[in-house]
Each structure stands twice: as C-alpha cells, then as structure tokens.
Amino acid sequence: MSARTLPLLFLNLGGEMLYILDQRLRAQSIPGEKARKDEWTDVDRKRVMNDIISTMFNRKFMEELFKPQELYSKKALRTVYDRLAHASIMRLNQASMDKLYDLMTMAFKYQVLLCPRPRDILLVTFNHLDAIKDFIYESPGILNQVDETFRQLIETYNCLSDGEFQLIRQTLLIFFQDMHIRVSIFLKDKVQNSNGRFALPISGPVPWGTEVPGLIRIFNHKGVEVKRTEFTTAGNYITPQREGSFELYGDRVLKLGTNMYSVSRPVETHVAGSSKNLASCAKENTVPNPLAKEELNFLARLLGGLDIQKPAGGETGFRLNLFTSDEEEEHAAQTRPEDLSYKVINIEATQEPGRRAELSRILGELEVEEPRPGSAGKGEDLLALMDGL
C-alpha cells in the first residue's frame, strides 16, 4: 500500500461532502427577512461552508495529514468527517450523517474507477479544490489556506512517478472494494447496477499520451516498422486534445471531481446485499482489530490538529436533514443494518505525549456509545464525539 494516499483520500471525500452540504443548505434556505429563528438562511449557509472549510484546511491539521502514513479503517476516517461536519452551527442526525458519508464515498470511488490514468487522480483532487475555492471566494483568509494546501499537493505529488500513482490508485481501490451502496443518481444514469457495483464504459477518451486502439505495428530486429494491421474495436474511442493542468491555476480538462449536485437532483442511498451477507459482516466486526492501537494514535494526531470554533454564547446550532422529511430520516435510522451504522468513539485528543500513551493504554477499556436517536428539534443531535474535544 502507498503511504501517500491519505491526503488524496481525505481531500476528495471532503470535497464531495462540501458539494452535498452546499446543495442541501441551498435547498432548505429561506430568505433572511422571512426566516424564523430555527430556519436556514443564505447567511447561515455561507457561515457553515466557511467554518467547515477553514477547519478542514487548518495548517496543523494539513501538516499531520501530509506525513507519509498508511491508510486506516473506514470507521477511523468516518470519525474525522463526523467532527468536520459539526465544526459549525450545523448539526446532523445519525441517519443523515450515514447518508452523507455513503454519498461521499461512492462518488469518489466512481471517480477513481473512471480515471484514465492513475496520475489523473491528482486532477480529480484539483477539481475538488477549485470548486472549494469558489465556495469561499469572499473570504481571502480561508482562500489562502486552500491555496497553501494546493501548493503542498503540487510539491508532494507532481514529482511522483507513474508507478507510484498506480500504487496510490490500487490503495484507494482496496479501501473502497467492499463498499457497494446504491445511489439514485448513479442508478438513474445507468452507471451503477442494482447490486451497487459500477458499470464502467468501454468507450470515450483514451489516457493522455496513448493512441486510440485499432492498430498493430510489427517491427523487425533493427526496430524498423515493417507491417501494419488494423482491427475493429468494440468501443468508440477518441484522443484527448490536451493534457489537464497540474498547476495552481489552469484548465484541468478532466471533468471527474466537479460538482454533480450543481443541478438540483434528488439523491437517495440504499444498502446493497442480502441479510445473510449483512449478518456475516456483523460477525466479522466482532473480531478484534489488530490495528486498533494505531488507529487511536492516528485519531489523536489528526483530531488534535483540528481547531474547532464552538458556537458563541448560547447558540446551539441548526439541524440539517439530508432526507426529504423528518419521517424519512427517522425511518432510515430505524431500518439501517446495525453493522453499517457507525458508532461514536469518545476520544480526548491532545498533543501531550502522556495523553497519547494513555489512549493506547485504555485500548482494551475503550467505551463505545450507541448513536442517540434522531431528533426533530433544533441543534439537539450534537454528536457525543464533540463533548471531549
């Protein structure tokens, strides 16, 4: 596995999270002069986006993220996104957070599968960062944070070989290989099958620097071409006109990683798989995780670098529902298989070495709390994770 995968995974999933939140916040916003105290306005939306992006691109957090390290479990990363999503006045119930994470992961998995070249994963990341900069163009301080991460990406990844990018792609695919959540957008566009697996196209642009299939060249021992043979291909291939820009500014050419929610479309997620498979997954989850100690230290480092600004005064925050109604959200929470509902781990993350050692010591006594039931009230679903951080 590649030790350079984590920043790309985190930034791309974070970009998808921001796309979804922006779309849902816009859909639920009320004009400021008409809004009640417990309703969203466009000012609230901008504040939420600014707070989350500012936290996501915190300098100390990015320094920790870019250190070479192996990927950890899905639950460990999910904990980081739980914390990020609640870095502002917005609050998500457990079912909405589950849905948000499902949409994030399946969207990026599809993008990784469709990348013409392994190196193009970097272009997908740049597309996400370009869109994030559009969200905060009125906040120069936060914009500088994103640009600094942009420069760090260029410095770290532009010099990597194609082989190293292939290893990064393989690491990402291993991370996503058991995730088959059906998403309505993908199902309607017929790019995903009913079992949650993607149907990859056999036509389209070939990778930059390669030729359209259909020609066989034969060379002699001196390297001189002596014969050509053409053959018919099953797909309709085209040659890209130019390569996407790997610089701070420029045309990325590749459209993977752009905001697919810019046009309002209803999005639903469904768990694929039989009850037998779900039961086997639940059984596997009871097996002790040999990497649990490393994951605790990983979370302590990452979460310790997040500088969360808690709501001032008596402000409790606004609740965001990713479903069309409260009833639909409650039904999703009740019907979701237990093994797929991520549990919340209370961790007091500090930078002190003694605390980090303490985290490892209490590994066997780690207390895991079940998510609290969904609530329709404003700001009543603050995740337990936030209490000790």
Side-chain angles (χ1 to χ4, degrees):
M1 295 178 68
S2 172
R4 290 290 186 185
T5 308
L6 183 59
L8 299 180
L9 176 63
F10 174 80
L11 291 172
N12 284 288
L13 288 179
E16 290 298 322
M17 180 180 74
L18 291 168
Y19 289 164
I20 298 163
L21 293 179
D22 179 71
Q23 191 268 344
R24 294 305 301 160
L25 289 171
R26 288 180 185 274
Q28 297 185 24
S29 290
I30 304 295
E33 64 277 4
K34 298 181 180 180
R36 299 193 308 269
K37 187 177 179 180
D38 61 341
E39 292 180 324
W40 287 102
T41 66
D42 198 55
V43 173
D44 294 325
R45 178 188 63 81
K46 291 180 179 179
R47 177 181 172 184
V48 168
M49 299 300 286
N50 284 356
D51 287 348
I52 293 178
I53 294 172
S54 177
T55 302
M56 179 177 171
F57 290 92
N58 176 275
R59 182 179 60 83
K60 292 182 180 179
F61 181 59
M62 284 294 118
E63 288 176 357
E64 197 64 49
L65 190 73
F66 271 83
K67 292 179 181 179
Q69 53 194 300
E70 298 292 337
L71 284 187
Y72 288 79
S73 72
K74 300 174 182 66
K75 289 187 178 182
L77 284 178
R78 163 62 189 269
T79 304
V80 177
Y81 287 110
D82 270 332
R83 182 160 171 77
L84 267 181
H86 293 84
S88 185
I89 58 174
M90 180 186 68
R91 298 295 175 260
L92 293 172
N93 283 350
Q94 182 66 30
S96 286
M97 191 65 218
D98 284 344
K99 179 178 178 179
L100 174 62
Y101 192 70
D102 287 343
L103 293 173
M104 291 159 50
T105 52
M106 295 309 292
F108 184 45
K109 176 181 179 179
Y110 186 54
Q111 293 158 14
V112 173
L113 289 171
L114 285 188
C115 275
R117 305 175 299 173
R119 183 176 294 274
D120 289 334
I121 293 173
L122 192 54
L123 291 178
V124 175
T125 310
F126 288 170
N127 276 335
H128 280 112
L129 294 191
D130 287 339
I132 290 173
K133 289 168 67 174
D134 289 338
F135 289 141
I136 40 91
Y137 70 93
E138 296 177 340
S139 305
I142 306 176
L143 198 58
N144 287 337
Q145 289 180 254
V146 180
D147 281 340
E148 182 58 35
T149 300
F150 230 128
R151 296 185 185 95
Q152 200 167 357
L153 278 169
I154 293 172
E155 179 182 347
T156 303
Y157 291 95
N158 274 9
C159 60
L160 297 186
S161 66
D162 291 336
E164 289 172 305
F165 271 106
Q166 174 64 11
L167 186 57
I168 288 174
R169 183 176 185 271
Q170 289 176 343
T171 305
L172 288 171
L173 292 177
I174 290 172
F175 179 84
F176 289 124
Q177 67 179 349
D178 296 325
M179 304 181 73
H180 306 294
I181 308 298
R182 293 177 294 157
V183 177
S184 61
I185 286 181
F186 296 140
L187 292 170
K188 290 175 182 177
D189 292 344
K190 299 187 184 303
V191 299
Q192 193 178 30
N193 297 324
S194 58
N195 60 3
R197 298 181 183 274
F198 288 109
L200 301 181
I202 60 172
S203 300
V206 297
W208 173 259
T210 63
E211 298 182 6
V212 172
L215 179 64
I216 300 174
R217 295 185 178 92
I218 301 176
F219 299 84
N220 61 18
H221 65 284
K222 296 181 179 180
V224 178
E225 182 179 329
V226 295
K227 183 180 179 181
R228 288 190 175 193
T229 303
E230 295 185 357
F231 63 93
T232 303
T233 61
N236 182 22
Y237 302 99
I238 58 175
T239 303
Q241 296 181 348
R242 61 190 182 282
E243 184 179 24
S245 172
F246 287 88
E247 302 302 324
L248 183 60
Y249 302 102
D251 183 5
R252 311 301 175 193
V253 179
L254 193 71
K255 298 305 179 184
L256 296 174
T258 55
N259 191 352
M260 67 176 178
Y261 306 100
S262 55
V263 178
S264 181
R265 305 168 73 179
V267 182
E268 296 296 337
T269 56
H270 312 276
V271 179
S274 65
S275 57
K276 180 180 179 181
N277 291 336
L278 295 176
S280 63
C281 291
K283 183 177 180 180
E284 291 174 2
N285 285 342
T286 63
V287 179
N289 181 4
L291 294 178
K293 179 179 177 180
E294 287 79 1
E295 287 177 4
L296 275 178
N297 290 332
F298 165 73
L299 288 175
R301 293 195 304 271
L302 285 187
L303 299 183
L306 287 180
D307 184 17
I308 301 295
Q309 299 294 329
K310 294 188 177 181
E315 190 175 23
T316 57
F318 290 83
R319 174 175 167 269
L320 178 67
N321 185 357
L322 264 69
F323 295 83
T324 56
S325 66
D326 290 342
E327 292 75 15
E328 186 178 347
E329 183 181 53
E330 292 173 4
H331 176 72
Q334 294 170 0
T335 57
R336 188 172 181 82
E338 183 179 355
D339 60 289
L340 295 180
S341 293
Y342 295 89
K343 298 174 183 177
V344 178
I345 300 175
N346 287 310
I347 298 177
E348 184 178 352
T350 71
Q351 297 298 331
E352 301 174 17
R355 288 300 302 160
R356 196 167 299 174
E358 177 71 3
L359 284 173
S360 299
R361 186 187 67 77
I362 64 173
L363 173 64
E365 303 173 2
L366 185 64
E367 180 180 353
V368 179
E369 297 183 358
E370 293 289 346
R372 287 174 290 182
S375 170
K378 173 183 172 183
E380 293 179 0
D381 191 54
L382 180 62
L383 287 180
L385 172 65
M386 304 293 291
D387 295 338
L389 298 179

